[in-house]
Amino acid sequence: MTAKYRGDGRVITIIQESSQSKYQPEEISGQTCSDLLWCQPADGCIPPEPLYPEGIWCQYVRNTDGVESLKSLMDDGTILPEQTAVLIHGAVDDKSITIDAVELGISNNVAWFWITSGSLPNPWNEPPTERIINGLIKAVHCHQRYPEISILRNICVFLFSTDVS
């Protein structure tokens, strides 16, 4: 059903929508991805190794949560990076942590990012802070200036303002 959209950069899928503490748990809260899994040894569930690292797959249990086929399509380029987006809310107002968030997405073949410090229940009703925007701009600039260090040739950051007047 979705095959006709593969390779069509006009079609963008939100791959991950989560708080920054679940996307970057080590950097934000000192937790690990293992700490965030629903499958815990204390509950009699042993997650298969290796666990996914920080980023879009952090909260998923390998070979159980069913993300392997999507991850494979993204990894082999069937689903283009410019067809994937990550939405992060509750972000720390910090330029370098924002750059790290983008780098994690880039390393997992994601090209679109919306990062805001807004929190639930509606984190999307406020634009990113100046520091977050500066981090997004810096991350994009580095990848455009030094494309050989990136798996992508064109990194896009989707910035918009909620001010519609």
Side-chain angles (χ1 to χ4, degrees):
M1 180 172 175
T2 62
K4 66 181 178 180
Y5 301 111
R6 292 181 186 155
D8 185 343
R10 297 172 299 171
V11 178
I12 299 171
T13 301
I14 297 170
I15 299 298
Q16 174 91 46
E17 178 184 343
S18 73
S19 68
Q20 194 170 39
S21 63
K22 292 182 179 176
Y23 184 82
Q24 294 169 274
E26 294 171 25
E27 192 164 12
I28 304 303
S29 65
Q31 293 184 302
T32 66
C33 291
S34 177
D35 296 331
L36 301 177
L37 298 177
W38 60 265
C39 178
Q40 294 293 326
D43 299 326
C45 182
I46 308 297
E49 298 287 337
L51 300 176
Y52 290 120
E54 285 190 305
I56 59 177
W57 311 113
C58 178
Q59 301 174 67
Y60 296 104
V61 177
R62 190 180 296 273
N63 301 321
T64 303
D65 286 337
V67 297
E68 287 74 21
S69 60
L70 175 60
K71 184 176 183 329
S72 176
L73 291 171
M74 289 174 67
D75 289 347
D76 72 13
T78 301
I79 296 176
L80 301 174
E82 55 267 24
Q83 290 186 274
T84 59
V86 170
L87 307 178
I88 299 172
H89 58 80
V92 175
D93 188 19
D94 183 278
K95 180 179 171 181
S96 67
I97 291 175
T98 300
I99 292 169
D100 292 346
V102 172
E103 292 291 332
L104 284 170
I106 290 168
S107 70
N108 284 284
N109 306 307
V110 173
W112 294 89
F113 303 88
W114 173 251
I115 301 173
T116 180
S117 58
S119 55
L120 296 173
N122 184 10
W124 317 118
N125 66 349
E126 60 184 77
T129 64
E130 185 176 344
R131 285 186 187 121
I132 290 173
I133 288 174
N134 287 336
L136 291 167
I137 291 168
K138 176 72 173 174
V140 170
H141 175 74
C142 289
H143 285 279
Q144 288 175 341
R145 186 168 177 196
Y146 304 105
E148 68 279 0
I149 64 169
S150 173
I151 57 170
L152 306 175
R153 297 290 178 236
N154 181 25
I155 305 302
C156 299
V157 174
F158 185 54
L159 296 174
F160 64 88
S161 172
T162 56
D163 181 11
V164 293
S165 57

